[in-house]
Amino acid sequence: MSSNHKRLSMGGRIDREQPVEFTFDGRSLIGYRGDTLASALLANGVTLVGRSFKYHRPRGIFSAGPEEPNALVTLATAGRRQPNLPATTLELQDGLVAESQNRWPSLTFDVQSVNGLLAPFLSAGFYYKTFMGPTRRAWMFYEHFIRKAAGLGRAGTDPDSDRYDISHAFADVAIIGGGPAGLSAARAAAAAGARVALIEQDFLLGGQLLAEPSDSAAAKWLRQAEAELESSETVTLMKRTTAFGSYDGNVIGLVGQRDPANPRPAGEVLQTFTMLRARSIVFATGAIERPMIFSNNDRPGVMLASAARTYLNRFAVLPGKKIVVATGNDSAWRAAFDLAGAGAEVTVADLRAAPSTALAAEAGRLGVVVRAATRIVDLNGGHAVRRATLNEADGQSEATCDLVCVSGGWSPTVHLTSHLGVKPQYRDDIGGFVPGAFPADRFGAGSMMGIFSTADVIEDGHRAGTEAASFCGKSAPVPAPSKLDLGETATAPFREIPSLGRGKAFVDFQMDVTTGDIELAYREGYESVEHLKRYTTLGMGTDQGKTSNFAALASMAALRNATIPETGATTFRPPYTPVAIGALAGRAIGHHFKPIRRTPMHDWHMANGAEMLEVGLWMRPYFYRQSGLDVNEAYVAEMRSVRQAAGLMDISTLGKIDVQGPDAAIFLDRIYANGFAKLPVGRARYGVMLRDDGIVLDDGTTTRLGENRFFMTTSTAKAADVLSRLEFLLDTAWPDLRVAVTSVSDEWAAMSVAGPKSRAILNAAFPALDVSDAALAHMGLLESEWQGRALRILRLSYSGERAYEIYVGATAGEQLWSRLLEAGRPLDLKPYGVEALGALRVEKGHVAGPEIDGRTTLDDLGLGRLAGKRSGFVGDVLRRRPAFQAPDRQRLVGLECIEEGKRLRGGAILFLPGEKPYGHGRGRVTSVTFSPERGHHVGLALLSGDVASEGSEVVAVYPMKAETVRARIVSPVFLDPQGERLHG
Amino acid sequence: MLPIECPCCGPRDHDEFRYGGDASVTRPAHDDPDPEAWYRYVFIRANPAGLHREFWQHVIGCRQWLVVERDTRNHAIASVELARKSPHSKSLARKSPA
Ligand SMILES: [Zn+2]
């Protein structure tokens, strides 16, 4: 247990009545409710909190917010690991277990910090040159070593056991940022009558007002604003919620953290990802203070001035006793004054020759030593700062210190506005980038717009809130804003100049990018900001360079002797802060990743040993374990059973479309390559549809139920596409046709009985129906009822055997399935799965998905005769393109394996005998099966027409398994070319 | 996420819709034998930086095909109408033989 010896006895926004126990690197420590992990560590005197990314340099807490580059920790409890969390935004909670990162074996003694010795390898451009240049092969050698040495936190290897949720929220006005601008905007927008969502990443509202003393006028203003908003019924306050991205349609991506004061049982939701849709948005995202660039500016004990002030006033922690404040602007003086007021010895080193008399007077009153025209150039101290080297007009001096507060000015937080393409524009008068012109439904307010005095920020927030509400048509009279003037003086801009010291001067602390790296990039010609970024990895850390971007730009501008606008700005992309992948997935994980479609007979399959296969969203029986030990044994057994007796297959997944209307026959005649207008009522026909470009879209069977009514089936895979296509043609191309198309896929259970004994089985199952060949010929239809449900029996064959497709109302599907099996048991009826179905059709030479692959034409598939001399159907004109008629166009052929003990494989590439097996070859194997009829492997293939003569040989090469096998080109119909078995 | 104001269903997220391509090209009559006309219809696109008439189908909704005018530079949607009611379809219907 430690002492909180840096904690002041009074003040702050912590609850001293509620101590919180936590662990950092195995040490048990105490903080208070209201602390962040960072403030609690500082209160306990812990200043060394991590090692840097490349050089393993010791690092301390640098900021008090999401911009933190150094103090990244891993939360590790019971097998869960959440890496790379900024200690500065982690709300302290009981039992929190945090680990520092990038150190081995311990934080204070890190073996790899010796790897300053590795620095030559790790300089700017190391990754770039290694991956892009001639040294690429060297990467193989160094990879293991470098990866171990350079990295951030380690993620867990177990599945994420936390739960996440996704929610949707709606508002008239979304306000991003709960600082003075956002609060003022929310009050105004709510008063105008708008529904407001106020988003704040912190667990307290207030933004920079939280850095003001807890008994100040600012604190009173904040309490009032918060009370007013909390009591408003039209305002939703979303604390602990980060807006990480803004997207089209005024959608804002939010990720919300759990409130630790409301502990929930383990397994409850850790984070919630919310998509907030707003009619207008106010960006009140504030500004981020910038570091100063000097040698060893990364030492623990270097901290942003505003952060030091926040730790003092918000968390009642005095982070140093002898403090140097290094700056070039007025805002850092406020930190100096407050720290001095709390008892610290403070020296202000200001770059400017003459800071204002008002500041000098206040400094004199508080005993703050002022050194004008003074620049910090170096720091001494390893794990904690000890001495600062200051350059003055009349020479160099040293100042002992235990804290160095830095302020290199302020950068408006323009990340979210940039996400949707509002380009940041440089403003010389503030020395920073502000958003360019907004579209009409978006507004900026406060310091993100370059307004830095609290009084003006509140006015501006009020304006933005009123305008954003007015955009939504909410224009009730809005009272004047409640004023707050903190008397800030204007911040004079200053331009960062390159470091003068000899040690490493860091620009990007998280990615370990120094001024030396930027100089190297410049020397090697990587001058544009986008090149600089990729060459040095600047800004590519988890903090996206929030504190480093501007200094890097300014350094490059100085090297190029160019202005900042000439040097340019990088593009910010979502997410603003890291988001757990789990939060984006929500509960859509595992079996909930996508919906599952089950056929009406699904339960029967599961109860009867089916091995299931995912086909799109559908679950289909792959094979039945009763048929064999594995799929290869089972499918051959199931094929035999179909060819010798009969098999029963669940075909409910086929797309089923009801086509009705006086022009239905004309419509089908146009969308199929073969004619349907003359199809007699009660008859079915196989049809092929083309796309407009002449490529085959899908095939299936359509049955004429009546003069104006047809029943179409499509392949399982294309069901949705075909329906959508039909609707497209009816809605856009031929609105004059009186036709309606409706999906009835889910209304019907469908099963196929195939095999020589199929008619006998139907006789047994439906004793009241006449299924004789006279009553139900091949391609015929029989409509009836079964158990009160509609029944359709179509005599169609896919396997080449006598076969019947039976459709019944979906709710009776399982019942009829069982009835058929029972009736078929004496006749050896066996269920079969999709593997056997596929094998049966390959043996019969029927094309399916692997051949109708979006690249093949009717002629390629040997189906040209279907269209014959017809014209006027979809795709007819472009199917005649000359390129489709080229002699080397790949066409469907059959292949049989002619090497004993070898097999064909789908995807194998075809070459001529003696040809070198490189490149795309002459074609490819599309579908294969073992053929019990032939006693060896057979397959379908697409092969260049100029070499596809039946009887000649090809070589099928399968590089994935380094297999080569000889095959003979044959007719794709391996079985019963006369079609006699259809009537067997 | 773009909201599309479906004439039947009101404003809905664009992930309820299927994109259907350029609505400004003219589809030849079903029996037009001119390869040039079909080539232009299938392959030639203006790809404007600005307002673009395009087809969207409300697949997880009313299933109507819509003509949406969208600005390709900022995704602002200027208008949404039923494809069957768009002037484009009406002219087609007139041309189409009885
Ligand atoms: Zn709709």
Side-chain angles (χ1 to χ4, degrees), chain B residues 6 8-9 58 61-63:
Chain B
C6 175
C8 306
C9 314
H58 195 188
C62 59
R63 292 201 67 88

mmCIF file of all heavy atoms in Angstrom, chain B residues 6 8-9 58 61-63, ligand 1:
data_model
loop_
_atom_site.group_PDB
_atom_site.id
_atom_site.type_symbol
_atom_site.label_atom_id
_atom_site.label_comp_id
_atom_site.label_asym_id
_atom_site.label_seq_id
_atom_site.Cartn_x
_atom_site.Cartn_y
_atom_site.Cartn_z
ATOM 1 N N CYS B 6 -37.413 6.397 -48.966
ATOM 2 C CA CYS B 6 -38.219 5.544 -49.840
ATOM 3 C C CYS B 6 -39.635 6.107 -49.923
ATOM 4 O O CYS B 6 -40.233 6.411 -48.904
ATOM 5 C CB CYS B 6 -38.246 4.113 -49.284
ATOM 6 S SG CYS B 6 -39.335 3.038 -50.219
ATOM 7 N N CYS B 8 -42.289 4.658 -50.386
ATOM 8 C CA CYS B 8 -43.258 3.786 -49.716
ATOM 9 C C CYS B 8 -43.007 3.706 -48.216
ATOM 10 O O CYS B 8 -43.937 3.644 -47.431
ATOM 11 C CB CYS B 8 -43.193 2.364 -50.280
ATOM 12 S SG CYS B 8 -43.367 2.301 -52.048
ATOM 13 N N CYS B 9 -41.733 3.664 -47.811
ATOM 14 C CA CYS B 9 -41.394 3.289 -46.438
ATOM 15 C C CYS B 9 -40.812 4.417 -45.611
ATOM 16 O O CYS B 9 -40.547 4.234 -44.419
ATOM 17 C CB CYS B 9 -40.408 2.119 -46.438
ATOM 18 S SG CYS B 9 -40.873 0.798 -47.565
ATOM 19 N N HIS B 58 -35.323 -1.227 -52.844
ATOM 20 C CA HIS B 58 -35.521 -1.372 -51.395
ATOM 21 C C HIS B 58 -35.752 -2.856 -51.076
ATOM 22 O O HIS B 58 -36.873 -3.287 -50.825
ATOM 23 C CB HIS B 58 -36.702 -0.511 -50.936
ATOM 24 C CG HIS B 58 -36.728 -0.323 -49.454
ATOM 25 N ND1 HIS B 58 -37.764 0.261 -48.784
ATOM 26 C CD2 HIS B 58 -35.806 -0.653 -48.503
ATOM 27 C CE1 HIS B 58 -37.502 0.283 -47.495
ATOM 28 N NE2 HIS B 58 -36.322 -0.273 -47.296
ATOM 29 N N GLY B 61 -37.448 -4.192 -47.747
ATOM 30 C CA GLY B 61 -38.555 -3.278 -47.507
ATOM 31 C C GLY B 61 -39.636 -3.563 -48.512
ATOM 32 O O GLY B 61 -40.030 -4.711 -48.691
ATOM 33 N N CYS B 62 -40.043 -2.549 -49.254
ATOM 34 C CA CYS B 62 -41.167 -2.691 -50.176
ATOM 35 C C CYS B 62 -40.765 -3.347 -51.491
ATOM 36 O O CYS B 62 -41.617 -3.638 -52.312
ATOM 37 C CB CYS B 62 -41.748 -1.311 -50.448
ATOM 38 S SG CYS B 62 -40.526 -0.187 -51.159
ATOM 39 N N ARG B 63 -39.459 -3.543 -51.721
ATOM 40 C CA ARG B 63 -38.904 -4.178 -52.925
ATOM 41 C C ARG B 63 -39.103 -3.351 -54.192
ATOM 42 O O ARG B 63 -38.857 -3.823 -55.300
ATOM 43 C CB ARG B 63 -39.429 -5.604 -53.120
ATOM 44 C CG ARG B 63 -38.915 -6.544 -52.037
ATOM 45 C CD ARG B 63 -38.968 -8.001 -52.434
ATOM 46 N NE ARG B 63 -38.059 -8.339 -53.495
ATOM 47 C CZ ARG B 63 -36.794 -8.718 -53.334
ATOM 48 N NH1 ARG B 63 -36.284 -8.811 -52.125
ATOM 49 N NH2 ARG B 63 -36.034 -9.010 -54.373
HETATM 50 ZN ZN ZN C 1 -39.505 0.934 -49.412
#
